[in-house]
Amino acid sequence: MTDQDRPDEGKTTGPEGPDAPLHRRGIKSYVLRAGRMTQAQTRGLEEVWPRLGLTLAQGRQDLDALFGRQAPRVVEIGFGMGASLIEQAETHPDTDFIGIEVHAPGVGKLLDEADKRGLTNLRVYREDALAVLEQCLPEGSLTTLQLFFPDPWPKKKHHKRRIVQPAFVELVRTRLASGGTLHMATDWEAYAEWMAEVMEAAPGYLNTATPETAPYVPRPDFRPLTKFEARGERLGHGVWDLIFRRVD
C-alpha cells in the first residue's frame, strides 16, 4: 500500500465555503513536474507560441477580436498533453477553443500539433487557471468550460487543493453565458461525489442529468475518449461525467 492509497486519520473534510479565497498563498490545485522536452515540444514553445500563446499580462481579452469572429467559445482547464483538445478543435472548426495548462511539455506538444494541423481556432495559456478566469476572460463570454480528470488529491488533508470548490464554480458561472455549461469528468468516484455535492449546492446551475442517471450523465460523444480512459474502461474502471447548465 502506498501513501496515496492509505486512508488519512481524523476528521473528513468537505468543500470550502463560497466566500473562501480562490488564491490561498502557497496552495495550488496542481504540482509542477519537471520533464524532458522533446524536439517537437520545444518547437511548439519557441516557434508557435508567439502566434497562439496568451499571457496574463495581456489582461482582459476581447475574444471576438482575438479569433477574428463571433463563435461558440470553449475553455478547457488542464488539457495535459492536449490530444483531446486538438481533436475537438479539429472536429469543430466553427467553435473557438482556449486551453489552460501549466506543464511545459503539454503546452509545447499541443502548440506543435495545432501548427502542423493548421488549426486557427485554438489559443493557449500557460498560466494558473484561476488567474486566467479572473483576469483575462470576460463575464458571460463562454459557451462551455471543460474540466476533465483534474488531480483528485485523494488524501483528506489535501482536499483543500481540489480545484472544484464553491468559490471556483461561482467564478466559472460568471464567465459562462446564460445557458452555458460546466462539464467535468473524473475517474475517482469519491471526487465525482465531491463534485456533485459542490454543484448541487451552487446557485445558478441546473444539472442536465436525467433522473435515471443523476447526478451523472453518460459520456457524451463530443468528449473524446482518451487512451488513458480507454485503458481504464478495459480494466473495469469507472468514469463519471457531470454537466451543469447556467440558468441565471
Side-chain angles (χ1 to χ4, degrees):
M1 179 181 291
T2 67
D3 287 341
Q4 183 168 327
D5 296 325
R6 185 175 293 109
D8 288 353
E9 301 292 338
K11 183 179 178 181
T12 299
T13 60
E16 295 187 342
D19 297 327
L22 283 168
H23 291 281
R24 292 185 178 276
R25 292 295 166 246
I27 294 180
K28 296 288 187 181
S29 62
Y30 56 86
V31 173
L32 285 172
R33 299 181 299 272
R36 294 182 178 179
M37 297 283 293
T38 67
Q39 184 175 359
Q41 292 164 358
T42 300
R43 173 187 173 273
L45 288 175
E46 293 181 352
E47 298 181 19
V48 188
W49 174 266
R51 181 162 50 87
L52 301 183
L54 302 172
T55 67
L56 292 179
Q58 294 170 330
R60 189 79 70 200
Q61 295 284 352
D62 179 337
L63 298 183
D64 289 349
L66 179 66
F67 288 99
R69 63 179 182 177
Q70 293 183 332
R73 302 272 154 68
V74 176
V75 167
E76 181 166 334
I77 294 175
F79 57 75
M81 298 306 289
S84 170
L85 188 54
I86 286 287
E87 181 178 339
Q88 292 178 78
E90 191 167 44
T91 305
H92 302 283
D94 294 331
T95 298
D96 295 328
F97 293 85
I98 298 175
I100 307 173
E101 177 58 66
V102 295
H103 300 290
V107 173
K109 174 67 173 176
L110 180 133
L111 289 169
D112 181 64
E113 283 294 323
D115 183 61
K116 289 177 178 176
R117 302 185 190 203
L119 300 180
T120 60
N121 61 331
L122 179 60
R123 299 292 187 275
V124 184
Y125 280 99
R126 187 185 169 194
E127 306 278 6
D128 181 278
L130 296 178
V132 172
L133 290 174
E134 289 178 319
Q135 302 174 34
C136 303
L137 299 180
E139 295 188 6
S141 63
L142 306 181
T143 306
T144 299
L145 188 134
Q146 299 176 164
L147 181 67
F148 298 155
F149 307 101
D151 194 324
W153 293 103
K155 290 186 177 183
K156 291 174 184 175
K157 66 182 179 181
H158 291 156
H159 284 182
K160 61 182 175 292
R161 292 182 176 270
R162 288 176 169 176
I163 191 171
V164 180
Q165 303 281 351
F168 167 74
V169 300
E170 171 58 20
L171 175 60
V172 171
R173 188 190 66 82
T174 66
R175 269 48 186 174
L176 291 173
S178 180
T181 56
L182 170 56
H183 182 185
M184 299 178 288
T186 180
D187 58 341
W188 283 76
E189 186 172 12
Y191 199 9
E193 293 169 351
W194 171 290
M195 291 173 171
E197 176 186 345
V198 171
M199 294 306 301
E200 292 295 349
Y205 282 102
L206 176 68
N207 193 345
T208 66
T210 65
E212 292 75 21
T213 64
Y216 311 114
V217 300
R219 183 183 72 84
D221 292 338
F222 56 79
R223 181 171 72 75
L225 185 67
T226 66
K227 292 181 180 178
F228 171 81
E229 185 179 356
R231 178 179 179 275
E233 285 188 351
R234 291 195 300 270
L235 295 173
H237 299 170
V239 172
W240 293 266
D241 283 77
L242 302 94
I243 301 180
F244 282 75
R245 177 176 294 114
R246 179 179 178 177
V247 293
D248 74 347

